[in-house]
Amino acid sequence: MPARSESAGQVPRSIPPRQAPQGGGQPPQAIPPGRPVRASAQPVRPTPVRSAPRPAAGGNGRGGSYPAGALASGGRGGRGGGNIRIRKGRVAGVIAVLVLLAILAWPIGLLIWANGKIQHVEALSDAKNTPGTTYLLAGSDARGSGGINDSTSGARTDTIMLLHKPRSGPVALISIPRDTFAQMPDGSGGNKINAAYSYGGAPMLVQTVEQLSGLTVDHYVEVGFGGVEGVVDAVGGVRLCLDYDVHDVKSKLKWKKGCHVADGKTALAFSRMRYADPTGDIGRAQRQQQVIGQIGQKVADPAVLLNPVSQVGLADAGLSALVTDTDTGIIDIARLGLAFRSANGKDGVTGTPPIASINYRTPSGASAVLLDENQTGEFWAKIRDGEYPAGEKIGGMPGS
């Protein structure tokens, strides 16, 4: 069929849409295929492009893409919003690190400061190691640490305790009466065990105790009695009990039968009194263990343990009067404290070695405590191996 010709002035017809759009506007002009497009006097409005719906937050990414520039500006949520969130996160992280450093810095700094306050002395022997860990604790006025001086004080140790933590079994705290008759390791013969310190200082006391017990001392800790007084005051006093009245001139202890909260000075006199005690040195050893046990309970109180002021006061009072062997530091002291608490608790063992007599006469005629040689060997072996039942009071006076 021949193509139809069009005159130059004739406007080509357009095919109207099936339905006119609502709103009264003019319908768009459709362009028949194959016909030229003429310039229109009116601007042609572009047909809007419909974009796929944006995926919901947290979706799998299908169904659309982020608008141009979104990633460059830090993500969705407005211009620069992502950068603000990143900065806030960094600030929060820095604050968290600073808080953590502050939390760690206090105990670390306290440990370093406390470790520097400890005095050290050569004390340990070259004896072969025995199982478990053994601490020798000595209390005296020998280093000008305060306390009460009498004719038997000075360079002699007023308190001798052996704390042993076995590989298995309960921790044991054994008080060795200061008047215990023992052989001196320098070959000078027998004497009261507290004389070993005046003869040869800490090294000779360590060797004498090792010879007596068969246990090798791993840590030597010497406490001036002024330190005991300061520690008790630092924890706000301790509750002590005694079932008889006391008015002892030498120790200066005045006590009314029953239980009372004692300050540092009274607790010190309580732990040193022996002349008004019917059992003498044995009763004093038991009271010393009572004082130590009560101090341990007060130190474990969160009100004391977590209070920085109490921590400094307690450390200052105790460590200023403390002397240890050259290998013992603040961490060992902390372990000693834990072992003390365990020994004085329901799962620990306390007592003295088996005693044959409290009226034994030394070759020089002095009164001394004589241990029962028929029982001491087995006694120390069971201490070493942790074989005594937890919570048991062991050793002591004949028949006890």
Side-chain angles (χ1 to χ4, degrees):
M1 182 175 184
R4 296 176 61 183
S5 63
E6 298 178 355
S7 62
Q10 185 177 2
V11 178
R13 293 180 301 172
S14 62
I15 302 174
R18 294 180 181 179
Q19 293 181 350
Q22 297 180 357
Q26 294 294 326
Q29 299 296 315
I31 301 175
R35 294 196 180 187
V37 179
R38 292 188 175 216
S40 175
Q42 299 293 329
V44 179
R45 291 180 296 177
T47 303
V49 178
R50 297 177 61 189
S51 60
R54 183 177 296 174
N60 58 14
R62 294 180 296 175
S65 61
Y66 296 119
L71 294 179
S73 64
R76 295 176 291 171
R79 184 173 56 190
N83 285 338
I84 293 176
R85 283 197 294 271
I86 291 174
R87 285 196 295 270
K88 286 181 178 179
R90 288 177 178 173
V91 170
V94 170
I95 293 175
V97 170
L98 291 176
V99 170
L100 179 61
L101 289 175
I103 293 173
L104 293 176
W106 170 251
I108 292 174
L110 184 64
L111 286 176
I112 295 173
W113 170 78
N115 201 57
K117 292 184 71 66
I118 301 175
Q119 303 174 63
H120 297 282
V121 65
E122 293 289 344
L124 302 184
S125 71
D126 57 358
K128 182 179 179 181
N129 289 335
T130 50
T133 303
T134 304
Y135 300 83
L136 174 59
L137 296 104
S140 75
D141 289 328
R143 297 183 181 272
S145 56
I148 303 168
N149 291 303
D150 57 33
S151 59
T152 60
S153 298
R156 300 196 177 200
T157 49
D158 207 46
T159 302
I160 302 171
M161 293 184 179
L162 209 57
L163 180 69
H164 182 70
K165 183 178 181 180
R167 290 177 177 173
S168 63
V171 179
L173 177 62
I174 306 302
S175 292
I176 302 175
R178 61 171 235 167
D179 288 342
T180 298
F181 184 75
Q183 294 297 319
M184 299 293 106
D186 63 353
S188 61
N191 206 328
K192 294 181 180 182
I193 195 170
N194 68 339
Y197 187 93
S198 65
Y199 289 165
M204 188 165 176
L205 179 62
V206 168
Q207 293 176 41
T208 305
V209 171
E210 288 179 340
Q211 184 174 278
L212 179 77
S213 65
L215 297 172
T216 298
V217 173
D218 300 298
H219 301 282
Y220 172 80
V221 180
E222 182 182 331
V223 182
F225 280 115
V228 174
E229 182 175 343
V231 168
V232 171
D233 286 335
V235 298
V238 293
R239 186 173 183 270
L240 304 174
C241 301
L242 192 59
D243 58 2
Y244 54 89
D245 295 338
V246 176
H247 188 179
D248 186 66
V249 176
K250 289 193 174 182
S251 67
K252 299 181 181 179
L253 176 64
K254 295 182 180 180
W255 191 268
K256 187 176 181 180
K257 177 181 178 180
C259 298
H260 309 283
V261 175
D263 61 8
K265 184 177 181 180
T266 303
L268 177 58
F270 184 91
S271 65
R272 297 198 64 188
M273 185 271 293
R274 65 170 178 153
Y275 292 102
D277 191 319
T279 59
D281 216 20
I282 309 306
R284 176 166 64 175
Q286 294 171 348
R287 291 193 308 279
Q288 289 170 349
Q289 291 182 357
Q290 184 183 162
V291 170
I292 291 172
Q294 289 299 310
I295 290 175
Q297 289 185 22
K298 289 298 292 285
V299 170
D301 186 341
V304 174
L305 189 63
L306 303 179
N307 186 330
V309 176
S310 298
Q311 290 174 358
V312 173
L314 187 60
D316 190 45
L319 297 177
S320 61
L322 201 66
V323 179
T324 73
D325 63 88
T326 55
D327 295 331
T328 296
I330 192 64
I331 300 300
D332 300 301
I333 298 300
R335 290 172 178 162
L336 167 63
L338 293 175
F340 248 122
R341 285 188 57 197
S342 180
N344 282 281
K346 63 179 181 179
D347 296 326
V349 171
T350 58
T352 64
I355 296 170
S357 174
I358 61 173
N359 293 311
Y360 176 75
R361 291 294 169 180
T362 68
S364 63
S367 177
V369 174
L370 182 66
L371 301 185
D372 189 337
E373 62 180 11
N374 296 322
Q375 300 183 47
T376 51
E378 180 184 5
F379 172 87
W380 291 116
K382 293 177 72 173
I383 291 292
R384 178 195 64 205
D385 300 331
E387 294 180 355
Y388 279 109
E392 186 169 334
K393 300 287 185 181
I394 57 177
M397 300 287 289
S400 60

